[in-house]
């Protein structure tokens, strides 16, 4: 079993930065791609970035050049460094494995809320 605990969100002014952390329990963290997802009010959850076990990253077009995903396998932690934040980044952010992964349990953590004011 893997449990995911997100942290680091908060209220920030447009143009500011935040770093989100996701602490993953479980012994298979280092064997899986990890992703950051977000869900804005009234919208579907979307993938914003993911990172393979070897560190190869992928980003949604909306965040390219502004967000950086990283991971520390020794700490079972994945990070999302968010810079030049925009009001449209406002959402609850979650981490998880790819939804098609054999390791996807169908469960999500509480997420961490990011609110970007203009």
């Amino acid at each position: 079993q893997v449990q995911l605990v997100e942290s680091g969100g908060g209220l920030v002014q447009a143009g500011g930065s935040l770093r989100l952390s996701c602490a993953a329990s479980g012994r298979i963290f280092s064997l899986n791609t990890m992703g950051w997802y977000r869900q804005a009010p009234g919208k579907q959850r979307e993938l914003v970035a993911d990172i393979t076990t070897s560190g190869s990253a992928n980003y949604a077009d909306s965040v390219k050049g502004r967000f950086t995903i990283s991971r520390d396998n020794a700490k079972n932690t994945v990070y999302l460094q968010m810079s030049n934040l925009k009001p449209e980044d406002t959402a609850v952010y979650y981490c998880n494995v790819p939804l098609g992964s054999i390791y996807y349990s169908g469960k999500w953590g509480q997420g961490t809320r990011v609110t970007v004011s203009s």
Side-chain angles (χ1 to χ4, degrees):
Q1 291 182 301
V2 176
Q3 289 188 316
L4 305 164
V5 181
E6 301 91 346
S7 63
L11 175 64
V12 65
Q13 193 171 10
S17 300
L18 287 171
R19 188 177 74 160
L20 308 184
S21 298
C22 170
S25 63
R27 301 171 67 180
I28 61 172
F29 176 86
S30 64
L31 303 178
N32 291 275
T33 291
M34 294 295 298
W36 280 99
Y37 303 78
R38 68 186 181 188
Q39 187 168 28
K43 297 184 179 180
Q44 291 185 314
R45 183 176 286 132
E46 63 175 341
L47 177 69
V48 298
D50 60 23
I51 184 168
T52 69
T53 57
S54 62
S56 180
N58 181 68
Y59 300 93
D61 288 343
S62 60
V63 306
K64 284 181 179 177
R66 300 188 298 117
F67 290 11
T68 301
I69 189 171
S70 61
R71 66 191 294 162
D72 186 337
N73 291 338
K75 298 175 67 175
N76 283 9
T77 302
V78 61
Y79 305 94
L80 186 68
Q81 176 66 50
M82 306 185 296
S83 300
N84 191 24
L85 283 161
K86 303 176 179 180
E88 51 263 45
D89 296 318
T90 295
V92 178
Y93 285 71
Y94 304 86
C95 62
N96 219 321
V97 299
L99 305 192
S101 172
I102 190 173
Y103 302 107
Y104 177 57
S105 69
K107 297 182 178 180
W108 298 81
Q110 292 295 304
T112 186
R113 185 183 302 274
V114 172
T115 302
V116 184
S117 65
S118 60

